[in-house]
Amino acid sequence: MNQVLLRSLTPSVLGILVRRGADFAAAEDAVQDALVEAVRVWPADPPRDPKGWLVTVAWRRFLDATRADTARRRREDLVEDEPAPGPAPAVDDTLQLYFLCAHPSLTPSSAVALTLRAVGGLTTRQIAQAYLVPEATMAQRISRAKRTVSGVRFDQPGDVATVLRVLYLVFNEGYSGDVDLASEAIRLTRQLAAAIDHPEVAGLLALMLLHHARRAARTAPDGSLVPLAEQDRGRWDTESITEGVEILQTALARDRLGEFQAQAAIAALHADAPTAEETDWVQIVEWYDELARLTDSPIVRLNRAVAVGEADGPRAGLAALVALDDSLPRHAAVAAYLHERDGDLATAARLYAEAARKAPNLAERDHLTRQAARLNARGCR
């Protein structure tokens, strides 16, 4: 069973059902039922036209659910519109669905959560981790969003800012390696940049390209994480870096700074350094100051503490860390790194071990565990 194929077809099938009159929540349920049926049937009897098969089965599931709902018996006449056999039209509805999910009736945070779940293919757990909330809280938020849009007309697309937030979170989840969605997020952002002249769209595209350029160097052959300072920069994709920098420079020239442009500027400074030692940390701190002003994000301030530690020394970085809540994700890892640079190996080892216990994925946990073991071994000598 090709899970990647099923995931790639889901947005288009969902879009067809919505255009044919299904409300979003019912359409999503019908598509999920069709995917389950595909997993059961396709291994023994693969269809010649997978998309057409999914459309037909999902539409029938929607009609079955509609007939069972006495409040919606008026939809019985939709039986006449059942899609005809044969290949389904090759239309990419994904970006349109991103805008439809960012519906004006939803708050931005609910719109992002709904889109990540229904269109992006992320699990509730993954979305909860991205939002730094418990999984149960996110499940309730997504359920409320579905109830809110159930039955509404999808003729009022949402705003660009919400769609950009969704694309960024999808890219980050793909970049983490849990679900390979990074390339898809870049593709959709390219489409959006071609359709909309907006500096933050350009900023997001530049940011994605600059981060994605380092992907081949982020892991060792055994799958372990390679920190930025230790990466083989010869493995970075110079074409993507060049394109990202050019897009960023054009966006910045418009003097309408936004958070994605500021993040891209930080990524560009890393990409521009021939070696880790030649990184312009002073400029990076300045860009983090701009980013903190734009977002007031504690995660931004956490990353800024690392940059301060590189620019002004580890004790300056630790001083910047004092003002932040130690329950923040990766707070312990940052503190461990700064304590190690300051020579306090015992504290650093303890904090690396603590960070490993809180790591959001296996690769990060293993990396932090190795860091703790390395320092503990040094302390025993």
Side-chain angles (χ1 to χ4, degrees), residues 326-368:
D326 61 10
S327 67
L328 282 172
R330 298 185 173 89
H331 184 285
V334 169
Y337 174 74
L338 292 171
H339 276 291
E340 180 183 359
R341 288 203 56 221
D342 195 38
D344 187 352
L345 302 188
T347 299
R350 175 179 58 78
L351 288 168
Y352 275 130
E354 177 185 333
R357 292 192 294 271
K358 299 177 180 178
N361 56 65
L362 182 61
E364 189 170 334
R365 186 192 71 188
D366 289 348
H367 170 72
L368 293 166

Side-chain angles (χ1 to χ4, degrees), residues 9 11-13 15-17 19-20 49-53 55-56 83-93:
L9 291 174
S12 184
V13 175
I16 290 172
L17 265 64
R19 288 201 304 274
R20 287 183 176 275
D49 175 23
K51 180 178 176 181
W53 189 98
V55 170
T56 300
V91 178
D92 185 355
D93 299 299

Side-chain angles (χ1 to χ4, degrees), residues 28-304:
E28 188 197 4
D29 289 342
V31 172
Q32 292 300 320
D33 287 346
L35 294 176
V36 171
E37 185 70 4
V39 171
R40 186 182 70 83
V41 171
W42 285 11
D45 185 21
R48 285 187 296 177
D49 175 23
K51 180 178 176 181
W53 189 98
L54 286 171
V55 170
T56 300
V57 172
W59 187 252
R60 287 172 179 166
R61 290 290 191 276
F62 165 69
L63 292 176
D64 289 343
T66 298
R67 293 190 189 99
D69 187 348
T70 56
R72 296 179 183 177
R73 290 190 181 278
R74 66 181 184 278
R75 295 180 184 262
E76 290 287 340
D77 58 357
L78 294 176
V79 174
E80 302 300 324
D81 292 331
E82 180 173 337
V91 178
D92 185 355
D93 299 299
T94 309
L95 191 59
Q96 179 188 12
L97 282 170
Y98 272 62
F99 274 95
L100 292 179
C101 285
H103 196 271
S105 63
L106 296 173
T107 64
S109 61
S110 294
V112 171
L114 177 62
T115 314
L116 290 172
R117 183 71 187 92
V119 187
L122 273 64
T123 65
T124 302
R125 177 185 59 80
Q126 290 167 329
I127 302 169
Q129 289 176 345
Y131 268 88
L132 312 180
V133 299
E135 184 175 349
T137 300
M138 183 52 64
Q140 292 175 354
R141 184 178 301 178
I142 293 172
S143 295
R144 285 196 300 269
K146 288 181 180 180
R147 288 196 298 271
T148 299
V149 301
S150 180
V152 303
R153 289 183 58 84
F154 280 86
D155 54 2
Q156 293 180 279
D159 67 342
V160 174
T162 300
V163 173
L164 290 180
R165 177 62 52 195
V166 175
L167 288 169
Y168 184 47
L169 290 173
V170 169
F171 174 81
N172 280 336
E173 191 59 48
Y175 194 66
S176 76
D178 289 342
V179 181
D180 190 8
L181 294 171
S183 296
E184 173 68 358
I186 292 174
R187 183 184 71 85
L188 293 172
T189 306
R190 284 192 188 279
Q191 286 187 9
L192 189 57
I196 299 176
D197 183 19
H198 193 297
E200 273 294 82
V201 176
L204 178 58
L205 179 57
L207 175 63
M208 289 178 174
L209 290 170
L210 289 164
H211 278 312
H212 206 58
R214 303 199 299 259
R215 187 168 192 178
R218 291 184 71 244
T219 54
D222 63 359
S224 59
L225 288 181
V226 180
L228 177 60
E230 299 172 19
Q231 288 176 14
D232 178 0
R233 299 185 179 219
R235 299 184 65 196
W236 290 1
D237 182 349
T238 54
E239 289 187 8
S240 292
I241 290 173
T242 300
E243 182 186 6
V245 169
E246 289 176 352
I247 292 171
L248 173 63
Q249 289 174 338
T250 300
L252 290 175
R254 300 179 64 176
D255 198 25
R256 290 169 54 193
L257 184 64
E259 62 175 293
F260 293 122
Q261 294 169 73
Q263 289 188 63
I266 293 169
L269 286 166
H270 283 296
D272 187 54
T275 66
E277 292 73 23
E278 296 173 85
T279 304
D280 190 344
W281 287 105
V282 173
Q283 269 206 73
I284 289 176
V285 172
E286 291 174 354
W287 276 110
Y288 270 122
D289 288 339
E290 288 286 348
L291 190 55
R293 179 182 61 80
L294 290 166
T295 65
D296 194 29
S297 164
I299 299 299
V300 169
R301 298 187 186 281
L302 183 66
N303 291 331
R304 179 185 177 277

